[in-house]
Amino acid sequence: MLSRRNPQLNAHGELIHLLSIEGLPRAVLHGILDTAATFLAVNDREVKKVPLLRGKSVFNLFFENSTRTRTTFEIAAKRLSADVLNLDIARSSASKGESLLDTIANLSAMHADMFVVRHSESGAPYLIAQHCAPHVHVINAGDGRHAHPTQGLLDMYTIRHYKKDFTQLRVAIVGDIVHSRVARSDILALATLGVPEIRAVGPKTLVPGDLREMGVRVCHDMAEGVKDADVIIMLRLQNERMSGAMLPSAGEFFKHFGLTPEKLALAAPDAIVMHPGPINRGVEIDSAVADGAQSVILPQVTFGIAVRMAVMSTIAGNLA
Ligand code: CP
């Protein structure tokens, strides 16, 4: 039976799908981060396999482009010993007019156990979760501008790895926040894990003022936004989701909100710099920062494998 309060939890409060960070208790988030820590050691072994999903079929359905998320989900599923199928959406019958739910019904008839879904429409993974059989699990790999929960979790894993304690941190999220599913997932996760100061930094056109209602400090000045921050999460301009010009130019954006060594020097001396990728050098981040000593952008990608292993093994172990 599905929980009335949250479609991703069963009646015992256990995770059966991962659709959003919204409504997930702190204990569930810590449980996934703790499980991911055990999988990090698997990734360092010569034989990088555990049998937790042996005999299960994981279908990767990426209706939108991806480098990091699709690949790390595939690696994670293979390290859990699952059979992995990557549907080539461009060559699939979606191009002949087949509906999303008919595609899902047909893949379910091939005995799918888990769908990993990226879609440009917010809510598509929820729709799939509502219509698939009770034993099938759904993971949202990014839907529209709504949510990217595994990115949120791997970002939390990265912060915990470098900073240990969430309850003493100032975290600045900088850039195109209004179009960002990552920002939304990060803010929800940071708040749930007890971060006392979350800042949203960017021009007025790209930072929604209603974030203040979630306890987020909104800053339209970069120097104020990054001052004494312990963690800076940079976001790219999501031009594919913008309707009309929201900025004078990319160069103007970089001048005011691009993270340069000079602006990074305003943060705490041991601040870490994060970015979900893909990065746009010279637009939101200077190469000297992206490749610098405080950047943890590539470790984020590595941690993403362990975090996605943790999510898949956790939900596969829980019954609807
Ligand atoms: N961070 C992220 O979602 O990257 P991809 O679009 O490459 O998956």
Side-chain angles (χ1 to χ4, degrees), residues 107-130:
L107 298 177
S108 297
M110 300 173 202
H111 301 291
D113 295 292
M114 196 175 288
F115 290 116
V116 178
V117 184
R118 170 168 289 190
H119 206 287
S120 57
E121 291 294 326
S122 296
Y126 283 76
L127 187 72
I128 295 169
Q130 277 167 359

Side-chain angles (χ1 to χ4, degrees), residues 18 22 24 27 39 63 71 83 93 105 129-130 149 166 186 217-218 228 234 237 243 269 285 288 310 318:
L18 181 64
E22 191 167 9
L24 295 187
F39 285 132
F63 293 85
T71 312
D83 295 319
S93 292
Q130 277 167 359
F166 287 104
D186 280 349
R217 187 173 141 198
V218 172
D228 300 327
M234 297 304 299
L237 297 174
S243 51
I285 192 162
N318 295 331

Side-chain angles (χ1 to χ4, degrees), residues 173-176 201-203 206 220-226 232-237 247 249-266 273-275 280-290:
I173 304 174
V174 183
D176 180 2
V201 187
L206 297 180
H220 300 302
D221 178 79
M222 181 69 166
E224 180 198 337
V226 299
I232 303 176
I233 301 174
M234 297 304 299
L235 300 172
R236 73 182 172 90
L237 297 174
L247 291 167
S249 68
E252 192 71 8
F253 179 79
F254 184 70
K255 187 172 144 199
H256 293 288
F257 293 99
L259 190 60
T260 57
E262 295 72 32
K263 290 180 195 140
L264 179 56
L266 301 170
V273 176
M274 297 170 55
H275 195 309
N280 289 135
R281 296 170 185 265
V283 179
E284 76 276 6
I285 192 162
D286 192 291
S287 281
V289 175

Side-chain angles (χ1 to χ4, degrees), residues 173-237:
I173 304 174
V174 183
D176 180 2
I177 291 169
V178 75
H179 298 105
S180 174
R181 55 196 177 204
V182 176
R184 225 168 301 281
S185 294
D186 280 349
I187 289 168
L188 288 164
L190 291 165
T192 303
L193 293 169
V195 170
E197 190 168 338
I198 307 169
R199 303 176 191 165
V201 187
K204 283 188 177 151
T205 47
L206 297 180
V207 181
D210 60 6
L211 285 176
R212 293 190 181 91
E213 290 157 28
M214 296 172 69
V216 174
R217 187 173 141 198
V218 172
C219 303
H220 300 302
D221 178 79
M222 181 69 166
E224 180 198 337
V226 299
K227 187 170 173 8
D228 300 327
D230 302 293
V231 177
I232 303 176
I233 301 174
M234 297 304 299
L235 300 172
R236 73 182 172 90
L237 297 174

Side-chain angles (χ1 to χ4, degrees), residues 15 18 29-30 36 48 50 67 89 124 129 140 161 167 171 174 189 199 218 234 251 282 291:
L15 203 63
L18 181 64
L29 301 191
H30 274 302
K48 299 178 174 57
V50 288
T67 296
I89 300 293
N140 182 357
H161 179 86
T167 66
V171 179
V174 183
R199 303 176 191 165
V218 172
M234 297 304 299
D291 304 328

